[in-house]
């Protein structure tokens, strides 16, 4: 069973490790190449795009792929759509792995918005010092804002940045204590983040809750219609085994 894992997430690496250790599976992991020094999974890895849904379909056919697992970031909507379309055209099964989103807890003050544009409009009334934890892509949506932004990302953004900002290059996970110290030390008024889910980056939400700070939570893009979804690595492993 030769399987392409569209990755870049912890779940993708875990699936690759589990499947590579079992007989009957050949795993190829693909990374988009947007992070300069990605954490690589075990096994064969390719880096770079495919050229849209048609390019991916051709690659799947040319490389004898039997199944596709889309374990990309929950906000990689374009890649997920291409994976679904390409797999359908090639007649291959495809699974979308999505960790559950975060849930609002007592004491949270979340403002849910549908996209980055809405988030940029929302922060205008939340204070003058905003913490952006949306990665380097999408920062340009806040470029025209008059607020001061603490922008945290793994790699420097390539698009326009807000006129008033501090760029903090760092890779998580971070502890609650570290996040609380950052929020208080920079006198942050509000936090902007994407509903990525998972425990690795949840500490910032716990710290914001303890400090009584509002959180602008950007909703995930929808998955392709009719998508088969697994919420855990274990469920993805069972799906793969069921194909054999």
């Amino acid at each position: 069973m030769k399987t392409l894992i569209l990755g870049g997430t912890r779940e993708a690496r875990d699936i690759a490790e589990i499947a590579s250790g079992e007989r009957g599976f050949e795993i190829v992991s693909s990374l988009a190449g947007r992070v300069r020094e990605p954490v690589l999974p075990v096994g064969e890895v390719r880096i770079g795009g495919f050229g849209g849904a048609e390019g991916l379909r051709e690659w799947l056919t040319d490389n004898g792929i039997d199944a596709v697992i889309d374990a990309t970031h929950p906000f990689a909507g374009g890649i997920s759509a291409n994976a679904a379309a390409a797999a359908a055209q090639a007649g291959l099964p495809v699974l979308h792995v999505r960790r559950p989103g975060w849930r609002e807890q007592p004491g949270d003050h979340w403002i849910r918005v549908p996209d980055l544009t809405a988030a940029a409009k929302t922060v205008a009334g939340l204070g003058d010092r905003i913490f952006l934890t949306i990665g380097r892509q999408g920062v340009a949506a806040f470029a025209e804002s008059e607020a001061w932004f603490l922008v945290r990302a793994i790699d420097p953004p390539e698009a326009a940045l807000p006129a008033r900002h501090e760029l903090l290059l760092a890779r998580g996970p971070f502890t609650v204590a570290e996040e609380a110290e950052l929020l208080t030390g920079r006198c942050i008024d509000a936090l902007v983040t994407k509903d990525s889910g998972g425990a690795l980056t949840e500490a910032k939400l716990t710290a914001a809750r303890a400090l009584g700070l509002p959180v602008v939570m950007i909703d995930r893009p929808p998955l392709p219609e009719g998508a088969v979804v697994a919420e855990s690595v274990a469920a993805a492993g069972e799906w793969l085994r069921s194909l054999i």
Side-chain angles (χ1 to χ4, degrees):
M1 176 67 64
K2 190 171 183 180
T3 303
L4 173 66
I5 300 177
L6 299 170
T9 61
R10 174 67 179 272
E11 289 83 1
R13 294 191 294 273
D14 288 347
I15 294 168
E17 183 174 0
I18 291 172
S20 295
E22 296 190 15
R23 296 181 60 184
F25 294 105
E26 181 181 351
I27 301 299
V28 180
S29 295
S30 177
L31 307 181
R34 293 173 179 170
V35 177
R36 293 180 181 176
E37 297 182 5
V39 180
L40 297 178
V42 300
E44 183 180 346
V45 178
R46 73 173 299 278
I47 296 178
F50 293 93
E54 180 58 27
L56 176 55
R57 183 199 64 76
E58 292 179 0
W59 191 93
L60 295 173
T61 301
D62 292 345
N63 288 272
I65 299 298
D66 299 304
V68 178
I69 293 182
D70 164 33
T72 55
H73 191 277
F75 281 80
I79 299 176
S80 296
N82 288 342
Q89 293 168 12
L92 301 179
V94 57
L95 177 72
H96 300 271
V97 181
R98 288 295 182 272
R99 68 183 81 110
W102 288 312
R103 292 188 177 182
E104 199 166 354
Q105 303 294 324
D108 281 331
H109 175 36
W110 288 5
I111 305 168
R112 284 199 170 270
V113 295
D115 51 36
L116 288 164
T117 300
K121 293 178 180 178
T122 301
V123 298
L126 296 179
D128 188 55
R129 298 178 66 83
I130 310 298
F131 184 21
L132 281 186
T133 63
I134 58 172
R136 65 176 181 146
Q137 298 185 40
V139 176
F142 301 84
E144 301 301 320
S145 175
E146 297 180 358
W148 178 90
F149 290 88
L150 175 62
V151 181
R152 185 167 70 191
I154 296 175
D155 295 319
E158 297 177 352
L161 286 163
R164 301 168 58 215
H165 75 272
E166 175 188 346
L167 181 59
L168 177 60
L169 299 182
R171 187 195 297 267
F174 308 99
T175 66
V176 175
E178 289 170 337
E179 297 290 57
E181 182 179 358
L182 186 65
L183 293 171
T184 55
R186 298 303 201 285
C187 300
I188 298 299
D189 295 314
L191 167 69
V192 180
T193 192
K194 296 177 176 179
D195 188 7
S196 301
L200 291 179
T201 56
E202 190 175 15
K204 60 194 172 189
L205 301 178
T206 304
R209 182 186 311 128
L211 295 170
L213 298 181
V215 175
V216 178
M217 184 68 68
I218 303 172
D219 287 332
R220 299 176 175 186
L223 281 167
E225 184 176 355
V228 178
V229 182
E231 292 190 339
S232 69
V233 171
E238 289 301 318
W239 180 82
L240 266 181
R241 297 182 192 99
S242 73
L243 298 181
I244 290 182

